[in-house]
Amino acid sequence: MASQQRILLLFWVLIASSSRAITSTWTQDEIIAPSKLEMFVDELPNLTRVQGFNLVNGTLKPKFLNIGMFKKKWKFHRDLPPTPVFAFGTSKFTASIPGPTIEALHGIDTYVTWHNHLPSKHILPWDPTIPTAIPSTKKGIPTVVHVHGAIDEPASDGNANSWFTARFEEKGPTWSKRTYHYRNMQHPGNLWYHDHAMGLTRVNLLAGLIGAYIIRDHEVEAPLRLPSGHEFDIPLIVFDRSFRKDGTIYMNSTGNNPSIHPQWQPEYFGDVIVVNGKAWPRMTVRRRKYRFRIINASNARFFRLFFSNGLQFIHVASDSVYLGEPIVTNETLLGPSEIA
């Protein structure tokens, strides 16, 4: 067995914008300074995985999943108080930030009923001046789930106006079905799922409604001899957040043009970098190759990823498709919603 070596995965940040994104309206004394959160003290979580298929008497069959959206508290860092979040999970107890990784197989259907268990009051400020999903009773936070990069039927795509509230009591104008059908007929690769409700997408994602979706194809992938297994094939969902000293997520509630759009800001930049739900985590690895499926789940921030000790990446795929041939590179630049 190869000896173990502790390597700190350092995610350095390249901001593809000017510093004006952090405006003078922020109340700096209520935000916890990033320097107060020691780096590399929390272990990198290996995300929970759920299979999107069944094996019945040696035959692969479609599977029906039930995944909910819950309000709960999440510990982003050892020295940060628990944070109120919205999280995906098969139960409130198992719900996590990010949500469970759905593992599907090429050509085997996956069915998911997305259940909304969210309360009526949001944990973040949202802008009422833009077109927004608002229930007539004003009870319940609207959500609808979109699998980003999936090629599926329109009714299962998560249209922004197909939103619904808790127990499906209120529904958007294009809502048509409770259970979404994912055919998984595209190239094997990496996707991700997230909320997509009209006018609320950003705040629902910032609150935590994100997760990875993987499509596998043994016939295509086995000859590539890539690292496999949960220990060596690891999704890394990277995003940025700012936190108040009480642990709550900070989002500026004053817009760039308050007289026109009281709460609208075109971009969100946080000053704490989170990977798989932990701020600046560490990972103990073996002296061997790993496969990282890196997803940039930030609203606006670009990430320039590299190893501080000179190791290189072998880049094998982008988003939901393999490259024609692997590329050895010293660094990888990922924009929002981009996957490597």
Side-chain angles (χ1 to χ4, degrees), residues 26-240:
W26 286 33
T27 307
Q28 295 294 342
D29 59 357
E30 68 179 67
I31 304 172
I32 190 165
S35 60
K36 299 294 184 182
L37 301 178
E38 185 179 350
M39 293 183 176
F40 318 128
V41 296
D42 290 303
E43 291 285 346
L44 176 82
N46 200 337
L47 303 174
T48 300
R49 309 191 188 201
V50 295
Q51 287 189 339
F53 57 91
N54 279 316
L55 184 62
V56 181
N57 298 323
T59 302
L60 292 167
K61 299 286 187 180
K63 187 171 186 178
F64 289 79
L65 298 173
N66 288 279
I67 298 178
M69 293 161 270
F70 303 89
K71 180 184 177 182
K72 63 181 301 182
K73 290 192 173 182
W74 185 257
K75 189 78 169 171
F76 282 99
H77 188 274
R78 179 194 66 185
D79 300 326
L80 195 65
T83 301
V85 296
F86 295 161
F88 283 112
T90 54
S91 69
K92 183 174 182 178
F93 178 76
T94 61
S96 59
I97 308 293
T101 297
I102 299 173
E103 295 190 319
L105 291 180
H106 175 81
I108 305 299
D109 297 336
T110 297
Y111 295 86
V112 182
T113 303
W114 302 98
H115 297 274
N116 184 343
H117 300 288
L118 300 178
S120 296
K121 183 175 175 56
H122 212 291
I123 60 175
L124 294 172
W126 55 275
D127 190 348
T129 67
I130 59 176
T132 302
I134 301 177
S136 59
T137 62
K138 293 184 170 54
K139 292 183 178 179
I141 297 169
T143 62
V144 61
V145 178
H146 171 66
V147 178
H148 195 107
I151 303 173
D152 289 306
E153 61 177 10
S156 299
D157 189 52
N159 183 288
N161 278 313
S162 295
W163 54 266
F164 55 95
T165 60
R167 298 174 295 279
F168 298 96
E169 288 183 353
E170 290 203 55
K171 299 174 280 287
T174 63
W175 184 93
S176 62
K177 60 194 304 184
R178 294 189 179 205
T179 300
Y180 280 15
H181 177 198
Y182 303 112
R183 298 176 64 242
N184 303 317
M185 288 297 293
Q186 62 203 83
H187 289 286
N190 309 289
L191 314 172
W192 65 298
Y193 62 92
H194 57 77
D195 174 78
H196 206 227
M198 176 67 72
L200 297 172
T201 298
R202 173 163 61 171
V203 291
N204 284 350
L205 266 66
L206 290 175
L209 294 180
I210 56 177
Y213 190 108
I214 297 173
I215 298 177
R216 301 185 185 276
D217 187 335
H218 180 75
E219 187 174 319
V220 171
E221 296 178 290
L224 303 179
R225 301 175 62 188
L226 295 171
S228 60
H230 289 186
E231 184 179 357
F232 306 114
D233 181 357
I234 303 172
L236 298 177
I237 302 184
V238 189
F239 53 87
D240 55 336

